Amino acid sequence: MSAASENRAVLGGGCFWCVEAVFERVPGVVAATSGYAGGQLDNPSYEAVCTGTTGHAEVVEVRFNPEHVSFDRLLEVFWAAHDPTTLNRQGADQGTQYRSIILADNSEQLAAAQLSRSQAASGFASPIVTEIALLERFWPALEEHQDFYSRNRANPYCQFNIVPKLKKLGLL
């Protein structure tokens, strides 16, 4: 498939290892790359982002074939894959880098994300706090963070955080 037939979504819902493990298993997704976006520092490091002072969120750049999966379907998975009502936190992971965020590639995605958030709200007891904005820049994380679950399935973090999520979503 050529890059011309791919679209991109940039999504954050806690630790990027979890988000990447979910989206790389969605049919129609071509690639999922862990990284950072939404902050003020150029080319941020994992260590800098973990301080919570750079403004970046851990996100995943999801490349997808729109003939096989729609942006709206990816948003449905996004809402189901994490708790968008907790501010700057997913499970034990706390800090602004773990916030729920959708960074749109264009104005059409921005409008679709805003509509999707409104529609998803009725499925949660608390208000959704997911940030939605236009993407300015995506920075890929180091190779050691890519495909983390696939390479580290026995890791306790993966067993306690990622496996239950994949099972809940029917992706395992």
Side-chain angles (χ1 to χ4, degrees):
M1 177 182 359
S2 71
S5 61
E6 291 179 13
N7 285 355
R8 155 171 94 158
V10 177
L11 308 165
C15 174
F16 50 30
W17 297 341
C18 296
V19 178
E20 180 190 63
V22 166
F23 283 98
E24 67 186 8
R25 285 164 176 73
V26 173
V29 169
V30 176
T33 304
S34 291
Y36 316 101
Q40 301 87 25
L41 186 65
D42 282 348
N43 201 20
S45 67
Y46 179 74
E47 292 75 20
V49 172
C50 283
T51 68
T53 62
T54 68
H56 291 87
E58 289 193 10
V59 297
V60 174
E61 179 188 60
V62 179
R63 296 256 175 208
F64 64 100
N65 181 334
E67 295 177 8
H68 294 100
V69 65
S70 68
F71 181 66
D72 289 339
R73 174 65 184 135
L74 295 178
L75 292 174
E76 289 171 8
V77 172
F78 172 78
W79 299 121
H82 77 296
D83 182 353
T85 69
T86 56
L87 186 62
N88 302 328
R89 176 188 188 131
Q90 288 298 306
D93 295 326
Q94 291 183 289
T96 57
Q97 68 271 29
Y98 299 116
R99 69 189 181 271
S100 178
I101 188 168
I102 300 168
L103 293 162
D105 225 15
N106 54 53
S107 59
E108 291 81 18
Q109 278 191 0
L110 186 68
Q114 291 166 337
L115 177 61
S116 179
R117 179 176 56 191
S118 296
Q119 293 170 335
S122 64
F124 296 95
S126 299
I128 290 176
V129 296
T130 302
E131 179 183 336
I132 299 175
L134 284 170
L135 176 66
E136 290 183 20
R137 183 89 191 251
F138 170 79
W139 302 95
L142 294 175
E143 190 61 34
E144 67 197 62
H145 296 291
Q146 306 303 330
D147 300 312
F148 189 85
Y149 172 71
S150 296
R151 293 182 298 102
N152 299 280
R153 290 176 194 238
N155 179 294
Y157 183 90
C158 295
Q159 290 299 306
F160 292 113
N161 293 288
I162 299 174
V163 169
K165 188 177 298 242
L166 295 176
K167 285 182 178 177
K168 172 188 155 195
L169 296 168
L171 297 171
L172 188 65

